[in-house]
Amino acid sequence: MSVGTAALAPGPMLLQTDLETGSYFAADGTQVPPLMALGAADSEELAHDWGYAVGLEGRRLGVDVTWSPVLDVNTNPDNPIINVRSFGEHVEQVGRLGAAVTRGFLASGLHPCAKHWPGHGDVAVDSHISLPTLHVARERLEAVEWAPYRVARAAGLESAMTAHMLIPAIDPESCATVSRALITGILREELGYQGCLFTDSLGMEGLRLTIDSAQAAWMAIVAGHDQVLIDYKRPALESYEAALAACLDGRVPEERLRDAARRVRALKARLAELPPLPGDDEIRATLRDLGRRVAEAAVTLSGEPPTGGADLGARPLLVILDDLQRYGVGIADERAGHGLRGAHPLADIMAAHLPCEVLLCDEDPSEADLRRLTDALPGATAVIGATFAHIQCYKGDGVRLPEMQVELWRRAAASGKLRALMLFESPYALSDLPAGVPVVIGYGGDEFSLAASAEALLGKRPCPGTLPVTVPRARA
């Protein structure tokens, strides 16, 4: 679709998208583990290869700019929107791996744009919903939030995307998106980001609740941005006309407008001179190999496995809890009629290794779901659990498990039959899982993370990964 769109344009376009977990959005795309999996593996070689493989895939799809890597240092465990999108909570690791991913992107020819400047890792608010405020001193910003940007800049990173957030220590009045102090003064002039600077979407409520989004379009240009992602919740013409009026009456200085245009044209010209790509099949194979290697290197064990392996008996029960809406109408229909048996991708993967009964429930189970578990327990020789702590824009949670799900796992553990659990996506949900039960952690919802975690749980592969964030386990 992107290649076709570009062909319709009167001149060169900069086609951009998120590639944080590969090309999950494309009909023929491939989802790969997120950046926190790279943090768990802690391999610069893998991080470089991740950037290179995802970069080739982006170019195959006609993409010019990727809004990644995420350089947020996820120091707040209650952060509802960064989480596994970050490499982790350690400043040095985020900078080092972010630089490696940057080098991989550049080697592939895809232009990287890091985010979310000036640092979205230590907030507990989703900026899609409201405006986060980061109350820290400049010294802390330099040492934590901004340090990875310096390291990645030295690796060749030129572009960044800004976050809708307030940093009172630098600019107590203006959202970062329209703050000249943060965009031009620090990011451009002090940190040396001389490439194109991009806003995040002006349709996010963090901005819309504080500034008229059409006016923000020209204010962001004045602040130092070169491209603006206009508000998709209102007619595009409104943002265009607001920006045009500000350019004509001098609110946007002519030199600032010409500077932005020069940077955009220079990037387009450079991207037009890229070498040809390998064939589609080779790119897909490279990406799939990358996804497998990252997942297998990242899989992490919390707790102690039973001596000699888990004794599952003749009738093991696999209990899966997930946000079922994201799997589409097919599962929703089956849920109404047949209770979802075998419909989940993890159930299919497990079936290849272990014949078992499957109980599939929504991430926020009902009383009826708890009764289904209670009814299934007597006939099971052992229980294996899996949960997906899924974060999503506008969801506002997902970092931790719903209360009813915590109760479901408590009942499973109380039966004495819960042998092990798999946790996918947010590792912070470890705190909600029963004490004394070993948990295998996969950091994504992709097929590679599911397969590596299932094999590790069954003792078919090791768990070499290390948690890149601090998560306390419940005490027995």
Side-chain angles (χ1 to χ4, degrees), residues 149-196:
Y149 284 88
R150 295 185 185 277
V151 178
R153 177 69 192 93
L157 186 67
E158 298 179 350
S159 293
M161 170 179 279
T162 55
H164 307 309
M165 58 189 304
L166 191 66
I167 312 290
I170 307 299
D171 189 338
E173 303 296 329
S174 302
C175 169
T177 309
V178 296
S179 170
R180 194 174 190 282
L182 280 161
I183 307 308
T184 296
I186 297 175
L187 182 61
R188 181 81 81 194
E189 295 177 353
E190 292 188 25
L191 269 66
Y193 277 74
Q194 297 303 314
C196 286

Side-chain angles (χ1 to χ4, degrees), residues 298-382:
V299 65
T300 303
L301 177 66
S302 175
E304 295 297 327
T307 303
D311 179 14
L312 301 179
R315 297 182 306 280
L317 172 67
L318 172 63
V319 181
I320 304 173
L321 277 78
D322 197 356
D323 177 2
L324 300 180
Q325 295 301 316
R326 61 174 166 162
Y327 288 106
V329 175
I331 281 190
D333 288 347
E334 188 174 350
R335 181 182 189 192
H338 305 95
L340 292 167
R341 288 184 178 275
H344 194 281
L346 180 60
D348 293 337
I349 288 171
M350 287 293 289
H353 298 283
L354 178 75
C356 57
E357 289 294 312
V358 177
L359 177 62
L360 185 54
C361 305
D362 190 72
E363 64 177 353
D364 193 0
S366 64
E367 287 287 355
D369 290 325
L370 267 64
R371 288 194 296 272
R372 290 167 59 207
L373 173 68
T374 300
D375 293 342
L377 284 173
T381 53

Side-chain angles (χ1 to χ4, degrees), residues 189-441:
E189 295 177 353
E190 292 188 25
L191 269 66
Y193 277 74
Q194 297 303 314
C196 286
L197 301 182
F198 302 80
T199 71
D200 210 334
S201 169
L202 302 188
M204 295 165 62
E205 297 302 318
L207 180 125
R208 295 177 93 242
L209 292 173
T210 55
I211 310 171
D212 179 87
S213 60
Q215 298 303 313
W218 67 264
M219 294 168 71
I221 297 172
V222 173
H225 292 93
D226 306 298
Q227 286 220 322
V228 176
L229 275 63
I230 61 173
D231 185 351
Y232 61 92
K233 297 174 181 175
R234 63 193 298 177
L237 190 60
E238 293 179 6
S239 298
Y240 166 77
E241 289 178 342
L244 177 61
C247 291
L248 293 175
D249 67 18
R251 285 174 290 167
V252 179
E254 181 178 342
E255 182 51 36
R256 170 76 275 269
L257 187 63
R258 291 185 179 278
D259 176 59
R262 278 195 296 269
R263 294 179 198 276
V264 172
R265 284 197 297 267
L267 177 56
K268 289 179 178 180
R270 193 163 78 237
L271 294 175
E273 300 300 323
L274 292 174
L277 282 167
D280 286 4
D281 290 344
E282 181 179 343
I283 291 173
R284 291 192 188 96
T286 298
L287 187 62
R288 292 192 62 81
D289 178 68
L290 177 279
R292 178 191 57 77
R293 288 192 291 126
V294 171
E296 292 175 359
V299 65
T300 303
L301 177 66
S302 175
E304 295 297 327
T307 303
D311 179 14
L312 301 179
R315 297 182 306 280
L317 172 67
L318 172 63
V319 181
I320 304 173
L321 277 78
D322 197 356
D323 177 2
L324 300 180
Q325 295 301 316
R326 61 174 166 162
Y327 288 106
V329 175
I331 281 190
D333 288 347
E334 188 174 350
R335 181 182 189 192
H338 305 95
L340 292 167
R341 288 184 178 275
H344 194 281
L346 180 60
D348 293 337
I349 288 171
M350 287 293 289
H353 298 283
L354 178 75
C356 57
E357 289 294 312
V358 177
L359 177 62
L360 185 54
C361 305
D362 190 72
E363 64 177 353
D364 193 0
S366 64
E367 287 287 355
D369 290 325
L370 267 64
R371 288 194 296 272
R372 290 167 59 207
L373 173 68
T374 300
D375 293 342
L377 284 173
T381 53
V383 176
I384 298 170
T387 184
F388 292 73
H390 179 53
I391 62 167
Q392 184 174 322
C393 300
Y394 295 99
K395 188 176 182 181
D397 55 22
V399 177
R400 303 288 293 273
L401 302 180
E403 290 183 11
M404 287 290 282
Q405 183 177 159
V406 174
E407 173 62 16
L408 182 145
W409 295 126
R410 188 196 67 76
R411 293 188 188 185
S415 74
K417 295 183 176 182
L418 183 59
R419 299 290 184 263
L421 284 157
M422 289 175 279
L423 171 59
F424 298 98
E425 299 172 290
S426 172
Y428 297 100
L430 264 175
S431 297
D432 298 322
L433 296 175
V437 177
V439 180
V440 173
I441 305 163

